[in-house]
Amino acid sequence: MAVALYGVAVGGGIAVGRAHIIKPGMKDAPHYAVEDAEIAAEVARYEDAIKTTRRQLEQLRNNIPENAPTELGAFISLHIMLLNDATISRDPIDIIEEKKINAEWALSQQIDILSAQFDSIADDYLHARKQDMLQVVERVFKNLMGIDTNDFVPEQEDLFEDTVLVAADLSPADTVFFKDNRIAAFVTDFGGASSHTAILGRGLNMPSIISLRHASDLISENEVVIVDGIDGVVILQPDEFLLKEYRRRAREFRSRQRELNKLKDTAATTQDNVPIEILANIAAADNMAEVAKNAADGVGLYRSEFLFLNRDIAPTEDEQYREYAKIIKKAAGKPVTIRTMDLGADKNPRWFAQTHGLNPAMGLVGVRLSLAEPQMFRTQMRAILRAAQHGEVQIMWPMISSLTEVRQCLVHLQMAKDQLADSGIAFNPNVSVGVMIETPAAALMVGSLLKMVDFVSIGSNDLVQYTLAVDRANKDVAALYQAAHPAVLKLMLHILRTANRMEKTVSICGEMAGDPIFARLLLGMGFRHFSMQPAKMLAFKEIVLSCNVEQLENKIVPILKNDDPAKMPELLEKLNKFQAA
Ligand code: PEP
Ligand code: MG
């Protein structure tokens, strides 16, 4: 049966190919003592490895293919600089001599020392260089072990038409060969959205997904995989049906993209002149390029927790401020909704020790975790308030299930403002606040919640999960995960009507918002504000332009009256066919 892995899409498009796994080397470092008489030879072996590594990197820098991303030369120079630093070129030699141990062991001890130093650096840029240091060391290590440093490029005869590279992580140097070696896509376990791998993935404009966590363990050599760089999904063991479907999608992707791009500057207004707001879901400042490319009306959901993942310490207030300010400035006057960190369950930061319990999704997640760590929560809100000087900002709290939580959030927000004011730090106190409606409790209490906040946004991904008691990440119950289940629609309608009556904004920011299957239904129900992945916006706009919402209001009556989930797919199909006709 097909298995789907979810990560962060950094390069668009779809590829179907055979996996080539790039094995990490350092895990298997041999450890042994070295006799006095052999120490000099061991040191010479290390020095040779350094020399070889330097030569390889210089060769790479001198032979950068014309079609490689422009940043590549700079990245390789950075690696040469790190290699030449005494911490890598000299200190391991001292360890060999002092502890009388083999070079690989000495190098791995030095990595531990350097890693700890990097982890204690508050500066964001320097902290991010840890990955570069590890990549350089990995190369030295491979040279010590006699492992081919180009082993990520399969032998030509082994190459299938489309090779999907699968790695724990890839260094900038690794990507040099991509264009010339029929690499169709790459996926990695690690890497933040602003890691070098991600930057290069975007520049290479090939389907690429990072932060897949266990992809390199789960995917086997030569296995056929589908890399969906649009949704950030890798599909393993695809059956014939899926393969055919994705091959077709890959072919269609480009020509359709060209067509949709023509809608970029068209206002999203229905046939009967109802304006529809189309906002973007983002996970990092880097995504703002896509936001602009697809002419979003603003950011409806910034999943700020991604700034807290894939790292060994939590970001400082200043680092957060810089990232938020970057996004807000890039939004150029358009509104930005920053969701405070929605951590827990499947988004566990390394730096935060947590017990998981039997049902992690019902544990310390979303706002609950923030309220349990008030310092961290206020630090984030201070950073947001400071960044809010640069544009129109809304703060949104995730996973709300009671008025008590909102009351506490408001207290912490006020405290964050007071702290800034007391310290004489500039900030914008006029941010509007809202909550995500992701639990049935919040949906049913929306009227009372809206008395306390300015807006609500429906997180349909979780609202479906918690309403139907179906784990959104569990493939065994995937068939039961029905976004348009009658129970979910009833809750959504209640939320919408209540917000409209109270003249407060209600948006949808879960995957349902950008799914074309539900677009007409949601427009007919009366939703006017949608937030989705940038790549989905133009297709959604195309539907908006074709719709007459007054007609849709009547057409969806049978759907809203239907209580049988089994009948829903057919009813939706009928609605979509009608409108498309
Ligand atoms: C949601 O639950 O619909 C949502 C937008 O939040 P996330 O998917 O990040 O949980
Ligand atoms: Mg959610």
Tab-separated table of all heavy atoms in Angstrom, residues 10 22 57 60 63-73 75-76 79 135 139 149-150 152-153 165 167 169-183 185-188 195-206 208 210:
chain	number	residue	atom	x	y	z
A	10	VAL	N	10.193	22.842	-1.114
A	10	VAL	CA	10.993	24.031	-1.431
A	10	VAL	C	11.130	24.259	-2.931
A	10	VAL	O	11.529	25.321	-3.364
A	10	VAL	CB	12.400	23.996	-0.779
A	10	VAL	CG1	12.309	24.066	0.713
A	10	VAL	CG2	13.191	22.787	-1.220
A	22	ILE	N	21.659	8.490	-0.371
A	22	ILE	CA	23.015	8.931	-0.049
A	22	ILE	C	23.243	8.625	1.418
A	22	ILE	O	22.589	9.202	2.284
A	22	ILE	CB	23.162	10.436	-0.313
A	22	ILE	CG1	22.849	10.689	-1.779
A	22	ILE	CG2	24.536	10.913	0.055
A	22	ILE	CD1	22.369	12.069	-2.024
A	57	LEU	N	37.243	20.752	-3.031
A	57	LEU	CA	36.366	21.940	-2.973
A	57	LEU	C	36.811	22.986	-3.988
A	57	LEU	O	35.983	23.632	-4.637
A	57	LEU	CB	36.345	22.527	-1.555
A	57	LEU	CG	35.569	21.714	-0.508
A	57	LEU	CD1	35.782	22.283	0.894
A	57	LEU	CD2	34.071	21.703	-0.817
A	60	LEU	N	35.736	21.925	-7.345
A	60	LEU	CA	34.288	22.162	-7.489
A	60	LEU	C	34.011	23.622	-7.813
A	60	LEU	O	33.227	23.954	-8.689
A	60	LEU	CB	33.563	21.832	-6.179
A	60	LEU	CG	33.190	20.383	-5.928
A	60	LEU	CD1	32.669	20.221	-4.517
A	60	LEU	CD2	32.108	19.955	-6.918
A	63	ASN	N	34.740	24.533	-11.305
A	63	ASN	CA	33.986	23.855	-12.371
A	63	ASN	C	32.483	23.937	-12.151
A	63	ASN	O	31.753	22.983	-12.394
A	63	ASN	CB	34.404	22.383	-12.446
A	63	ASN	CG	35.838	22.264	-12.883
A	63	ASN	OD1	36.190	22.638	-13.995
A	63	ASN	ND2	36.690	21.786	-11.991
A	64	ILE	N	32.054	25.061	-11.668
A	64	ILE	CA	30.612	25.199	-11.426
A	64	ILE	C	29.888	25.282	-12.772
A	64	ILE	O	30.214	26.128	-13.602
A	64	ILE	CB	30.320	26.459	-10.574
A	64	ILE	CG1	30.897	26.262	-9.176
A	64	ILE	CG2	28.825	26.741	-10.502
A	64	ILE	CD1	30.793	27.460	-8.276
A	65	PRO	N	28.920	24.402	-13.013
A	65	PRO	CA	28.208	24.466	-14.295
A	65	PRO	C	27.470	25.794	-14.440
A	65	PRO	O	27.056	26.392	-13.444
A	65	PRO	CB	27.195	23.316	-14.193
A	65	PRO	CG	27.629	22.476	-13.050
A	65	PRO	CD	28.438	23.333	-12.149
A	66	GLU	N	27.325	26.212	-15.669
A	66	GLU	CA	26.695	27.516	-15.919
A	66	GLU	C	25.282	27.609	-15.373
A	66	GLU	O	24.819	28.646	-14.930
A	66	GLU	CB	26.639	27.787	-17.427
A	66	GLU	CG	27.879	28.512	-17.899
A	66	GLU	CD	27.863	28.708	-19.391
A	66	GLU	OE1	26.771	28.761	-19.958
A	66	GLU	OE2	28.959	28.775	-19.973
A	67	ASN	N	24.584	26.468	-15.419
A	67	ASN	CA	23.178	26.497	-15.001
A	67	ASN	C	22.998	26.310	-13.487
A	67	ASN	O	21.880	26.203	-12.997
A	67	ASN	CB	22.375	25.446	-15.766
A	67	ASN	CG	23.018	24.064	-15.677
A	67	ASN	OD1	23.984	23.889	-14.935
A	67	ASN	ND2	22.487	23.119	-16.420
A	68	ALA	N	24.096	26.265	-12.730
A	68	ALA	CA	23.964	26.100	-11.270
A	68	ALA	C	23.496	27.413	-10.645
A	68	ALA	O	23.712	28.483	-11.214
A	68	ALA	CB	25.311	25.701	-10.682
A	69	PRO	N	22.846	27.332	-9.461
A	69	PRO	CA	22.399	28.565	-8.808
A	69	PRO	C	23.569	29.507	-8.531
A	69	PRO	O	24.676	29.045	-8.237
A	69	PRO	CB	21.786	28.077	-7.495
A	69	PRO	CG	21.552	26.635	-7.682
A	69	PRO	CD	22.522	26.139	-8.703
A	70	THR	N	23.309	30.782	-8.600
A	70	THR	CA	24.381	31.767	-8.475
A	70	THR	C	25.051	31.743	-7.101
A	70	THR	O	26.228	32.080	-6.974
A	70	THR	CB	23.837	33.184	-8.723
A	70	THR	OG1	22.614	33.311	-8.009
A	70	THR	CG2	23.624	33.465	-10.185
A	71	GLU	N	24.309	31.328	-6.074
A	71	GLU	CA	24.883	31.358	-4.718
A	71	GLU	C	25.941	30.273	-4.508
A	71	GLU	O	26.693	30.304	-3.544
A	71	GLU	CB	23.801	31.114	-3.645
A	71	GLU	CG	22.616	32.017	-3.673
A	71	GLU	CD	21.495	31.410	-4.501
A	71	GLU	OE1	21.785	30.577	-5.391
A	71	GLU	OE2	20.347	31.787	-4.294
A	72	LEU	N	25.991	29.297	-5.417
A	72	LEU	CA	26.799	28.120	-5.163
A	72	LEU	C	28.277	28.436	-4.934
A	72	LEU	O	28.902	27.911	-4.008
A	72	LEU	CB	26.639	27.149	-6.337
A	72	LEU	CG	27.167	25.755	-6.083
A	72	LEU	CD1	26.500	25.138	-4.873
A	72	LEU	CD2	26.916	24.889	-7.299
A	73	GLY	N	28.852	29.314	-5.757
A	73	GLY	CA	30.270	29.669	-5.631
A	73	GLY	C	30.564	30.196	-4.236
A	73	GLY	O	31.552	29.802	-3.601
A	75	PHE	N	28.878	29.637	-1.505
A	75	PHE	CA	28.748	28.582	-0.493
A	75	PHE	C	30.013	27.722	-0.449
A	75	PHE	O	30.503	27.353	0.610
A	75	PHE	CB	27.540	27.688	-0.788
A	75	PHE	CG	26.222	28.362	-0.503
A	75	PHE	CD1	25.068	27.954	-1.141
A	75	PHE	CD2	26.133	29.398	0.405
A	75	PHE	CE1	23.852	28.578	-0.887
A	75	PHE	CE2	24.929	30.028	0.665
A	75	PHE	CZ	23.788	29.620	0.018
A	76	ILE	N	30.547	27.394	-1.618
A	76	ILE	CA	31.742	26.544	-1.636
A	76	ILE	C	32.932	27.310	-1.040
A	76	ILE	O	33.728	26.747	-0.286
A	76	ILE	CB	32.036	26.030	-3.067
A	76	ILE	CG1	30.877	25.131	-3.524
A	76	ILE	CG2	33.342	25.239	-3.091
A	76	ILE	CD1	30.964	24.679	-4.967
A	79	HIS	N	32.791	27.050	2.560
A	79	HIS	CA	33.243	25.745	3.037
A	79	HIS	C	34.775	25.660	3.052
A	79	HIS	O	35.355	25.082	3.974
A	79	HIS	CB	32.638	24.634	2.165
A	79	HIS	CG	31.209	24.353	2.523
A	79	HIS	ND1	30.550	23.205	2.187
A	79	HIS	CD2	30.313	25.095	3.216
A	79	HIS	CE1	29.316	23.245	2.648
A	79	HIS	NE2	29.141	24.397	3.262
A	135	GLN	N	28.896	19.830	7.164
A	135	GLN	CA	29.069	19.338	5.795
A	135	GLN	C	30.551	19.261	5.411
A	135	GLN	O	30.984	18.331	4.744
A	135	GLN	CB	28.291	20.233	4.829
A	135	GLN	CG	26.784	20.008	4.940
A	135	GLN	CD	25.966	21.136	4.344
A	135	GLN	OE1	26.499	22.177	3.960
A	135	GLN	NE2	24.655	20.950	4.275
A	139	ARG	N	32.873	15.743	4.701
A	139	ARG	CA	33.729	15.539	3.528
A	139	ARG	C	35.143	15.088	3.972
A	139	ARG	O	35.726	14.180	3.387
A	139	ARG	CB	33.798	16.850	2.719
A	139	ARG	CG	34.435	16.728	1.380
A	139	ARG	CD	34.279	18.020	0.614
A	139	ARG	NE	33.068	18.056	-0.187
A	139	ARG	CZ	32.975	17.513	-1.404
A	139	ARG	NH1	34.009	16.899	-1.942
A	139	ARG	NH2	31.857	17.589	-2.076
A	149	THR	N	33.739	10.870	-2.241
A	149	THR	CA	32.922	12.016	-1.816
A	149	THR	C	31.852	12.367	-2.830
A	149	THR	O	30.961	13.150	-2.569
A	149	THR	CB	33.799	13.266	-1.579
A	149	THR	OG1	34.656	13.401	-2.697
A	149	THR	CG2	34.572	13.177	-0.301
A	150	ASN	N	31.961	11.797	-4.007
A	150	ASN	CA	30.917	12.044	-5.005
A	150	ASN	C	29.937	10.888	-5.065
A	150	ASN	O	29.292	10.672	-6.070
A	150	ASN	CB	31.529	12.254	-6.395
A	150	ASN	CG	32.290	13.563	-6.446
A	150	ASN	OD1	32.038	14.452	-5.628
A	150	ASN	ND2	33.209	13.666	-7.369
A	152	PHE	N	27.210	10.457	-4.026
A	152	PHE	CA	25.787	10.770	-4.196
A	152	PHE	C	25.384	10.725	-5.659
A	152	PHE	O	24.234	10.692	-5.994
A	152	PHE	CB	25.457	12.140	-3.603
A	152	PHE	CG	26.268	13.252	-4.170
A	152	PHE	CD1	25.844	13.922	-5.306
A	152	PHE	CD2	27.453	13.612	-3.588
A	152	PHE	CE1	26.596	14.935	-5.830
A	152	PHE	CE2	28.211	14.634	-4.120
A	152	PHE	CZ	27.797	15.296	-5.249
A	153	VAL	N	26.378	10.787	-6.545
A	153	VAL	CA	26.047	10.687	-7.962
A	153	VAL	C	26.206	9.234	-8.368
A	153	VAL	O	27.304	8.701	-8.364
A	153	VAL	CB	26.985	11.563	-8.806
A	153	VAL	CG1	26.611	11.464	-10.273
A	153	VAL	CG2	26.918	12.992	-8.340
A	165	LEU	N	17.162	11.862	-5.508
A	165	LEU	CA	18.167	11.735	-4.465
A	165	LEU	C	17.503	11.829	-3.094
A	165	LEU	O	16.686	12.714	-2.850
A	165	LEU	CB	19.204	12.850	-4.579
A	165	LEU	CG	20.213	12.721	-5.712
A	165	LEU	CD1	21.273	13.795	-5.564
A	165	LEU	CD2	20.859	11.349	-5.732
A	167	ALA	N	18.486	11.917	0.965
A	167	ALA	CA	19.626	12.066	1.877
A	167	ALA	C	19.168	12.596	3.216
A	167	ALA	O	18.098	13.197	3.322
A	167	ALA	CB	20.629	13.044	1.279
A	169	ASP	N	20.873	14.879	4.666
A	169	ASP	CA	21.058	16.295	4.357
A	169	ASP	C	21.944	16.371	3.122
A	169	ASP	O	22.648	15.414	2.800
A	169	ASP	CB	21.728	17.008	5.549
A	169	ASP	CG	21.564	18.516	5.463
A	169	ASP	OD1	20.815	18.993	4.582
A	169	ASP	OD2	22.187	19.217	6.273
A	170	LEU	N	21.914	17.454	2.424
A	170	LEU	CA	22.776	17.635	1.264
A	170	LEU	C	23.541	18.936	1.444
A	170	LEU	O	22.997	19.908	1.950
A	170	LEU	CB	21.940	17.749	-0.015
A	170	LEU	CG	21.278	16.462	-0.515
A	170	LEU	CD1	20.305	16.782	-1.628
A	170	LEU	CD2	22.324	15.483	-1.005
A	171	SER	N	24.785	18.940	1.022
A	171	SER	CA	25.547	20.179	1.125
A	171	SER	C	25.437	20.927	-0.195
A	171	SER	O	25.096	20.342	-1.221
A	171	SER	CB	27.007	19.870	1.437
A	171	SER	OG	27.645	19.428	0.266
A	172	PRO	N	25.737	22.222	-0.191
A	172	PRO	CA	25.672	22.979	-1.452
A	172	PRO	C	26.536	22.329	-2.524
A	172	PRO	O	26.153	22.252	-3.680
A	172	PRO	CB	26.234	24.342	-1.062
A	172	PRO	CG	26.019	24.452	0.395
A	172	PRO	CD	26.088	23.073	0.944
A	173	ALA	N	27.712	21.818	-2.107
A	173	ALA	CA	28.603	21.205	-3.087
A	173	ALA	C	27.940	19.993	-3.746
A	173	ALA	O	28.132	19.732	-4.924
A	173	ALA	CB	29.906	20.793	-2.410
A	174	ASP	N	27.144	19.263	-2.983
A	174	ASP	CA	26.476	18.085	-3.546
A	174	ASP	C	25.606	18.431	-4.744
A	174	ASP	O	25.407	17.631	-5.648
A	174	ASP	CB	25.567	17.431	-2.492
A	174	ASP	CG	26.358	16.788	-1.374
A	174	ASP	OD1	27.550	16.519	-1.570
A	174	ASP	OD2	25.771	16.562	-0.303
A	175	THR	N	25.043	19.619	-4.712
A	175	THR	CA	24.051	19.968	-5.730
A	175	THR	C	24.683	20.364	-7.068
A	175	THR	O	23.989	20.507	-8.056
A	175	THR	CB	23.153	21.134	-5.252
A	175	THR	OG1	23.981	22.264	-5.049
A	175	THR	CG2	22.425	20.801	-3.987
A	176	VAL	N	26.034	20.513	-7.091
A	176	VAL	CA	26.716	20.917	-8.322
A	176	VAL	C	26.340	20.000	-9.480
A	176	VAL	O	26.134	20.432	-10.603
A	176	VAL	CB	28.253	20.886	-8.122
A	176	VAL	CG1	28.974	21.023	-9.456
A	176	VAL	CG2	28.669	21.995	-7.181
A	177	PHE	N	26.259	18.708	-9.169
A	177	PHE	CA	26.092	17.733	-10.242
A	177	PHE	C	24.634	17.489	-10.631
A	177	PHE	O	24.358	16.726	-11.544
A	177	PHE	CB	26.717	16.401	-9.824
A	177	PHE	CG	28.180	16.515	-9.568
A	177	PHE	CD1	28.655	16.645	-8.281
A	177	PHE	CD2	29.080	16.526	-10.621
A	177	PHE	CE1	30.007	16.768	-8.037
A	177	PHE	CE2	30.432	16.653	-10.390
A	177	PHE	CZ	30.906	16.776	-9.087
A	178	PHE	N	23.738	18.122	-9.949
A	178	PHE	CA	22.334	17.807	-10.172
A	178	PHE	C	21.909	17.941	-11.626
A	178	PHE	O	21.312	17.052	-12.195
A	178	PHE	CB	21.437	18.694	-9.308
A	178	PHE	CG	21.321	18.222	-7.887
A	178	PHE	CD1	22.219	17.293	-7.379
A	178	PHE	CD2	20.328	18.711	-7.056
A	178	PHE	CE1	22.130	16.857	-6.074
A	178	PHE	CE2	20.219	18.279	-5.755
A	178	PHE	CZ	21.130	17.356	-5.262
A	179	LYS	N	22.213	19.098	-12.203
A	179	LYS	CA	21.700	19.393	-13.537
A	179	LYS	C	22.228	18.414	-14.582
A	179	LYS	O	21.542	18.041	-15.504
A	179	LYS	CB	22.098	20.818	-13.949
A	179	LYS	CG	21.292	21.871	-13.222
A	179	LYS	CD	19.961	22.125	-13.912
A	179	LYS	CE	19.221	23.239	-13.181
A	179	LYS	NZ	17.858	23.389	-13.647
A	180	ASP	N	23.518	18.031	-14.380
A	180	ASP	CA	24.145	17.215	-15.419
A	180	ASP	C	23.953	15.721	-15.212
A	180	ASP	O	24.453	14.918	-15.955
A	180	ASP	CB	25.651	17.528	-15.466
A	180	ASP	CG	25.871	18.991	-15.815
A	180	ASP	OD1	24.996	19.550	-16.492
A	180	ASP	OD2	26.885	19.560	-15.381
A	181	ASN	N	23.302	15.345	-14.142
A	181	ASN	CA	23.219	13.920	-13.870
A	181	ASN	C	21.798	13.378	-13.806
A	181	ASN	O	21.527	12.440	-13.096
A	181	ASN	CB	23.974	13.597	-12.576
A	181	ASN	CG	25.461	13.555	-12.822
A	181	ASN	OD1	25.987	12.596	-13.352
A	181	ASN	ND2	26.131	14.646	-12.467
A	182	ARG	N	20.958	13.957	-14.543
A	182	ARG	CA	19.588	13.481	-14.644
A	182	ARG	C	18.935	13.302	-13.268
A	182	ARG	O	18.233	12.337	-13.011
A	182	ARG	CB	19.540	12.170	-15.444
A	182	ARG	CG	19.818	12.412	-16.910
A	182	ARG	CD	19.539	11.189	-17.726
A	182	ARG	NE	20.634	10.227	-17.639
A	182	ARG	CZ	20.574	8.989	-18.104
A	182	ARG	NH1	19.478	8.569	-18.673
A	182	ARG	NH2	21.591	8.192	-18.014
A	183	ILE	N	19.250	14.206	-12.358
A	183	ILE	CA	18.588	14.202	-11.060
A	183	ILE	C	17.248	14.902	-11.254
A	183	ILE	O	17.199	16.052	-11.691
A	183	ILE	CB	19.410	14.956	-9.993
A	183	ILE	CG1	20.844	14.441	-9.925
A	183	ILE	CG2	18.730	14.878	-8.634
A	183	ILE	CD1	21.021	13.023	-9.495
A	185	ALA	N	14.755	15.085	-8.787
A	185	ALA	CA	14.213	15.691	-7.568
A	185	ALA	C	15.120	15.318	-6.414
A	185	ALA	O	15.915	14.388	-6.531
A	185	ALA	CB	12.807	15.157	-7.298
A	186	PHE	N	15.035	16.041	-5.325
A	186	PHE	CA	15.736	15.575	-4.125
A	186	PHE	C	14.891	15.802	-2.889
A	186	PHE	O	14.068	16.713	-2.835
A	186	PHE	CB	17.130	16.203	-3.994
A	186	PHE	CG	17.153	17.647	-3.587
A	186	PHE	CD1	17.104	18.010	-2.245
A	186	PHE	CD2	17.261	18.649	-4.541
A	186	PHE	CE1	17.148	19.343	-1.870
A	186	PHE	CE2	17.304	19.982	-4.174
A	186	PHE	CZ	17.246	20.327	-2.831
A	187	VAL	N	15.092	14.895	-1.944
A	187	VAL	CA	14.357	15.000	-0.684
A	187	VAL	C	15.326	14.759	0.461
A	187	VAL	O	16.253	13.952	0.338
A	187	VAL	CB	13.169	13.994	-0.613
A	187	VAL	CG1	12.217	14.211	-1.761
A	187	VAL	CG2	13.634	12.553	-0.597
A	188	THR	N	15.164	15.472	1.552
A	188	THR	CA	16.079	15.303	2.690
A	188	THR	C	15.321	15.209	4.017
A	188	THR	O	14.198	15.690	4.143
A	188	THR	CB	17.076	16.482	2.806
A	188	THR	OG1	16.346	17.665	3.137
A	188	THR	CG2	17.842	16.711	1.531
A	195	SER	N	17.540	26.876	5.194
A	195	SER	CA	18.844	26.206	5.117
A	195	SER	C	19.390	26.358	3.701
A	195	SER	O	18.653	26.654	2.772
A	195	SER	CB	18.700	24.724	5.454
A	195	SER	OG	17.924	24.086	4.465
A	196	HIS	N	20.656	26.117	3.568
A	196	HIS	CA	21.248	26.213	2.234
A	196	HIS	C	20.601	25.248	1.267
A	196	HIS	O	20.378	25.556	0.101
A	196	HIS	CB	22.748	25.935	2.315
A	196	HIS	CG	23.509	27.110	2.841
A	196	HIS	ND1	24.729	27.009	3.435
A	196	HIS	CD2	23.190	28.422	2.843
A	196	HIS	CE1	25.139	28.215	3.793
A	196	HIS	NE2	24.222	29.079	3.446
A	197	THR	N	20.316	24.056	1.760
A	197	THR	CA	19.698	23.062	0.882
A	197	THR	C	18.392	23.600	0.323
A	197	THR	O	18.090	23.442	-0.860
A	197	THR	CB	19.450	21.764	1.675
A	197	THR	OG1	20.626	21.466	2.416
A	197	THR	CG2	19.126	20.618	0.758
A	198	ALA	N	17.630	24.257	1.188
A	198	ALA	CA	16.342	24.813	0.740
A	198	ALA	C	16.561	25.948	-0.260
A	198	ALA	O	15.891	26.018	-1.292
A	198	ALA	CB	15.555	25.317	1.945
A	199	ILE	N	17.534	26.815	0.034
A	199	ILE	CA	17.808	27.947	-0.862
A	199	ILE	C	18.189	27.414	-2.242
A	199	ILE	O	17.687	27.875	-3.270
A	199	ILE	CB	18.959	28.829	-0.307
A	199	ILE	CG1	18.549	29.467	1.015
A	199	ILE	CG2	19.360	29.901	-1.312
A	199	ILE	CD1	19.692	30.113	1.772
A	200	LEU	N	19.036	26.402	-2.238
A	200	LEU	CA	19.482	25.860	-3.522
A	200	LEU	C	18.363	25.102	-4.225
A	200	LEU	O	18.250	25.142	-5.444
A	200	LEU	CB	20.699	24.961	-3.312
A	200	LEU	CG	21.939	25.782	-2.967
A	200	LEU	CD1	22.968	24.965	-2.236
A	200	LEU	CD2	22.530	26.395	-4.229
A	201	GLY	N	17.558	24.421	-3.454
A	201	GLY	CA	16.421	23.700	-4.044
A	201	GLY	C	15.527	24.658	-4.806
A	201	GLY	O	15.118	24.405	-5.938
A	202	ARG	N	15.267	25.784	-4.195
A	202	ARG	CA	14.426	26.795	-4.835
A	202	ARG	C	15.090	27.318	-6.106
A	202	ARG	O	14.462	27.455	-7.141
A	202	ARG	CB	14.194	27.952	-3.867
A	202	ARG	CG	12.794	27.988	-3.359
A	202	ARG	CD	12.659	29.034	-2.259
A	202	ARG	NE	12.272	28.363	-1.040
A	202	ARG	CZ	12.959	28.371	0.081
A	202	ARG	NH1	14.069	29.027	0.174
A	202	ARG	NH2	12.516	27.729	1.127
A	203	GLY	N	16.409	27.576	-5.984
A	203	GLY	CA	17.143	28.102	-7.123
A	203	GLY	C	17.194	27.118	-8.275
A	203	GLY	O	17.171	27.498	-9.433
A	204	LEU	N	17.260	25.833	-7.954
A	204	LEU	CA	17.353	24.815	-8.998
A	204	LEU	C	16.008	24.585	-9.681
A	204	LEU	O	15.940	23.980	-10.742
A	204	LEU	CB	17.819	23.485	-8.394
A	204	LEU	CG	19.289	23.432	-8.009
A	204	LEU	CD1	19.553	22.284	-7.068
A	204	LEU	CD2	20.141	23.302	-9.264
A	205	ASN	N	14.973	25.031	-9.022
A	205	ASN	CA	13.632	24.903	-9.563
A	205	ASN	C	13.308	23.467	-9.959
A	205	ASN	O	12.818	23.199	-11.052
A	205	ASN	CB	13.469	25.849	-10.759
A	205	ASN	CG	12.008	26.118	-11.025
A	205	ASN	OD1	11.180	25.912	-10.134
A	205	ASN	ND2	11.689	26.552	-12.227
A	206	MET	N	13.642	22.551	-9.068
A	206	MET	CA	13.246	21.159	-9.296
A	206	MET	C	12.425	20.707	-8.091
A	206	MET	O	12.557	21.271	-7.014
A	206	MET	CB	14.472	20.256	-9.491
A	206	MET	CG	15.379	20.156	-8.294
A	206	MET	SD	16.576	18.803	-8.434
A	206	MET	CE	17.514	19.251	-9.846
A	208	SER	N	11.542	19.485	-4.874
A	208	SER	CA	12.409	19.160	-3.746
A	208	SER	C	11.650	19.388	-2.455
A	208	SER	O	10.878	20.337	-2.327
A	208	SER	CB	13.685	20.003	-3.786
A	208	SER	OG	13.395	21.334	-4.136
A	210	ILE	N	12.207	19.147	1.853
A	210	ILE	CA	13.147	18.982	2.961
A	210	ILE	C	12.370	18.699	4.238
A	210	ILE	O	11.126	18.763	4.237
A	210	ILE	CB	14.022	20.238	3.155
A	210	ILE	CG1	13.127	21.452	3.405
A	210	ILE	CG2	14.908	20.471	1.947
A	210	ILE	CD1	13.853	22.613	4.014
